[in-house]
Amino acid sequence: MNPSTAGSLAEPTYLNHETTVRSWLLTRDHKRIGVMFLVLVISALLLGGVFAMLLRIELLTPGPTIMGPMTYNRVFTLHGVTMVWLFMIPAIPSAFGNFVLPLMLGAKEVAFPRLNLASVYIYAAGAALTVFGMVWSGADTGWTFYTPYSTTSPTAVTPILLGVFIIGFSTIITGLNFITTTHTLRAPGMHWSRIPLFVWAIYGTSVIQVVATPVLAMVLVLVALERVAGVGIFDPTRGGDPVLFQHMFWFYSHPAVYIMVLPAMGVITEVVCAFSRKNIFGYRMIAASTFGIAFVGFFSWGHHMFVSGQSTFGSGIFGVLSMLVAIFTAIKIFNWVATMYGGAIDLKVPLLYVLGFIFLLTFGGMTGVAVATTSLDVHWHDTYFIVAHFHYIMVGSVLMAFLAALHYWWPKMFGRLFPERWASVAACTIIFGFIVTFLPQFLLGNMGMPRRYYQYPSEMQWLNVLSTAGASLLAFGFGLIGLYLVWSLRYGKVSPANPWGSRGYEWFSASPPGPHNFREPPRFEREVHDYTVSEAPHVF
């Protein structure tokens, strides 16, 4: 056992210095709050995954398989609501951001610890209300709640709207906390040019969260008011305008794509450096492109509305702005590949997920440029091509980065190692399963299969069967991950303080960290991920 390991075992950690249930429920420790968020978002992922498998089983045959058409409508709505609002938006910022951002900045805590604890309970309350709506009678509107159908649907849309509305407050609080923490709690030596790129990604995401989320809250309240009080805002039979809903909804929900993807890109940058044993290529370009994506993201919502009746000139402008996102994204991809080029590649499990991420983001990004072209989008609009594009970009990117982060920071969070061989099998299964699931859906969409449809022509069945086979592989891979990670909590090898030999600042602390992160304030006297320095990171 090396000295750093012995030290980390002898010292109390955030996990064992207090062990009562009360100490967890009332904690203001950002690390425990990160773990609480991790448990909640993984629960949401499991629930959304069950709904996804039910959908894929139903689509095994052209006609009815295991459910009726109305049940199908509710299941795909609940799958989308769960995955988008309960998992993908909060997953990386709230779980991993809470855990590692203060460590990366050399801080003992976030700026507002009590508000941080409140954000967990607000999220839990919103999620509980959303699940209550699902159990009560579900909703059949899709996760976008398009009007005027969502204002008249007899299903339990209102509690789900209010649940998502409440979750928005948790998102805003978390964003404010991260922005303030980054500005005020940086350790000595932590200049703006030394801030880790994961923190830059969380910072940019937080700006979007704080600026855009109130617009979503407003539109959800208006839909709820229209359902409950009958005011005519979006329903044309009452003098409302359904296109107004689309403008307001997508003004938030398109930047929300980057609330999901930007933190994922931050994770990828950290993992690429750690397992290439190399300084990041183009630190300033990656940081600048983060804010380029965040800025342009606010001006490209109209590409969701090419067929809504907006002018040809307006559609052209929104198309060009959408394509600008691809340029900023390409800058990041180029810099990740350039970082790996010539590096001492260590192909561990987190890097496997990075490779999956880069493939899915590049492939999905190219289809994104295609659907930002108005003539092509009219052909593919509301078909399975859009479903496949959406899943490659958003779901694939977030899942790959979430799993990369989970495996990269697992020893930091729990002080245990997972079995590398089983983890490699699971990673390959999930990457292959994801491709097999969604690649056929590009073909289905190009053949004209509409999204959200319960039945389809028999000649499309083999592609749907292939897609369901891929989904089964995904389910197997996630089940395997759950088994070995739970096993590792009790039986896994005790991790050294820095099992990957990373030069990231968060590894300056013990694994798992102590209750106050550091015994003395750390000084960051070198650049983050500086592999030109021979010594290993210190453990405070």
Side-chain angles (χ1 to χ4, degrees), residues 516-538:
H516 300 295
N517 294 350
F518 306 97
R519 281 180 288 180
E520 57 187 84
R523 293 190 63 85
F524 299 118
E525 296 175 341
R526 60 166 172 78
E527 305 301 318
V528 64
H529 287 296
D530 185 355
Y531 286 90
T532 62
V533 180
S534 58
E535 75 270 20
H538 300 290

Side-chain angles (χ1 to χ4, degrees), residues 1-12:
M1 184 178 294
N2 64 46
S4 64
T5 306
S8 65
L9 289 177
E11 296 291 333

Side-chain angles (χ1 to χ4, degrees), residues 93 95 104 108 137 159 251 287 289 319 335 383 404 410 412 418 421 452 457 479 525:
M104 287 180 166
K108 291 182 178 179
S137 70
F251 181 80
S289 63
N335 282 284
T383 69
W410 186 262
K412 169 60 64 182
F418 51 82
R421 181 174 300 178
R452 308 189 183 102
E525 296 175 341

Side-chain angles (χ1 to χ4, degrees), residues 454-529:
Y454 177 70
Q455 292 179 309
Y456 55 83
S458 57
E459 59 265 29
M460 296 178 177
Q461 185 177 9
W462 73 274
L463 286 171
N464 275 292
V465 170
L466 190 59
S467 185
T468 303
S472 303
L473 285 175
L474 276 175
F476 173 77
F478 279 111
L480 189 56
I481 290 173
L483 285 175
Y484 70 68
L485 286 185
V486 171
W487 176 88
S488 77
L489 287 175
R490 184 173 180 84
Y491 302 105
K493 292 180 181 177
V494 174
S495 170
N498 186 358
W500 313 123
S502 171
R503 302 299 168 82
Y505 292 150
E506 73 274 28
W507 297 100
F508 278 38
S509 62
S511 298
H516 300 295
N517 294 350
F518 306 97
R519 281 180 288 180
E520 57 187 84
R523 293 190 63 85
F524 299 118
E525 296 175 341
R526 60 166 172 78
E527 305 301 318
V528 64
H529 287 296

Side-chain angles (χ1 to χ4, degrees), residues 305-344:
M305 302 168 62
F306 285 161
V307 298
S308 68
Q310 70 184 2
S311 69
T312 305
F313 178 77
S315 295
I317 294 295
F318 281 122
V320 170
L321 288 171
S322 302
M323 292 178 190
L324 282 179
V325 176
I327 295 175
F328 292 118
T329 305
I331 290 172
K332 289 181 178 292
I333 294 174
F334 172 78
N335 282 284
W336 293 329
V337 174
T339 302
M340 287 188 282
Y341 180 75

Side-chain angles (χ1 to χ4, degrees), residues 87-402:
F87 172 69
M88 288 198 294
I89 288 180
I92 295 176
S94 296
F96 299 112
N98 257 312
F99 196 98
V100 301
L101 184 138
L103 292 172
M104 287 180 166
L105 296 175
K108 291 182 178 179
E109 253 305 337
V110 292
F112 307 115
R114 287 186 175 85
L115 274 180
N116 204 23
L117 177 62
S119 70
V120 179
Y121 287 108
I122 292 171
Y123 170 87
L129 187 56
T130 305
V131 172
F132 166 75
M134 296 178 186
V135 174
W136 184 13
S137 70
D140 58 354
T141 61
W143 70 273
T144 53
F145 308 117
Y146 269 7
T147 59
Y149 185 69
S150 61
T151 61
T152 56
S153 170
T155 55
V157 177
T158 304
I160 294 177
L161 288 173
L162 293 179
V164 175
F165 174 79
I166 292 170
I167 290 171
F169 281 98
S170 173
T171 302
I172 293 173
I173 290 172
T174 300
L176 283 172
N177 226 333
F178 289 159
I179 291 172
T180 311
T181 303
T182 306
H183 276 273
T184 61
L185 297 182
R186 301 194 310 277
M190 176 63 75
H191 309 302
W192 284 98
S193 60
R194 285 183 176 171
I195 290 179
L197 286 163
F198 178 72
V199 177
W200 275 120
I202 293 292
Y203 186 92
T205 305
S206 300
V207 172
I208 302 175
Q209 288 174 327
V210 172
V211 174
T213 306
V215 179
L216 172 72
M218 185 168 57
V219 73
L220 294 179
V221 168
L222 291 176
V223 173
L225 273 177
E226 187 148 332
R227 288 181 58 85
V228 175
V231 293
I233 301 171
F234 303 122
D235 189 344
T237 63
R238 298 169 179 164
D241 183 359
V243 178
L244 174 63
F245 171 86
Q246 293 190 37
H247 279 291
M248 297 177 71
F249 180 82
W250 287 114
F251 181 80
Y252 165 81
S253 293
H254 191 71
V257 171
Y258 309 113
I259 292 177
M260 305 173 211
V261 174
L262 283 179
M265 291 174 166
V267 170
I268 298 306
T269 306
E270 296 295 326
V271 175
V272 162
C273 290
F275 293 95
S276 301
R277 299 288 185 267
K278 197 177 168 193
N279 300 9
I280 187 66
F281 183 90
Y283 173 94
R284 293 178 187 275
M285 290 297 290
I286 290 184
S289 63
T290 296
F291 287 90
I293 292 172
F295 180 74
V296 174
F298 276 105
F299 300 100
S300 51
W301 79 90
H303 82 236
H304 294 273
M305 302 168 62
F306 285 161
V307 298
S308 68
Q310 70 184 2
S311 69
T312 305
F313 178 77
S315 295
I317 294 295
F318 281 122
V320 170
L321 288 171
S322 302
M323 292 178 190
L324 282 179
V325 176
I327 295 175
F328 292 118
T329 305
I331 290 172
K332 289 181 178 292
I333 294 174
F334 172 78
N335 282 284
W336 293 329
V337 174
T339 302
M340 287 188 282
Y341 180 75
I345 300 294
D346 189 6
L347 197 59
K348 293 287 177 57
V349 172
L351 193 61
L352 287 177
Y353 286 112
V354 167
L355 298 179
F357 175 95
I358 292 175
F359 172 77
L360 295 178
L361 185 71
T362 305
F363 193 94
M366 289 190 293
T367 62
V369 174
V371 296
T373 307
T374 51
S375 55
L376 293 173
D377 182 76
V378 169
H379 175 63
W380 289 321
H381 187 81
D382 265 348
T383 69
Y384 258 83
F385 192 96
I386 301 300
V387 176
H389 161 71
F390 175 90
H391 280 80
Y392 258 66
I393 284 288
M394 289 175 59
V395 184
S397 299
V398 173
L399 273 181
M400 293 299 145
F402 180 80

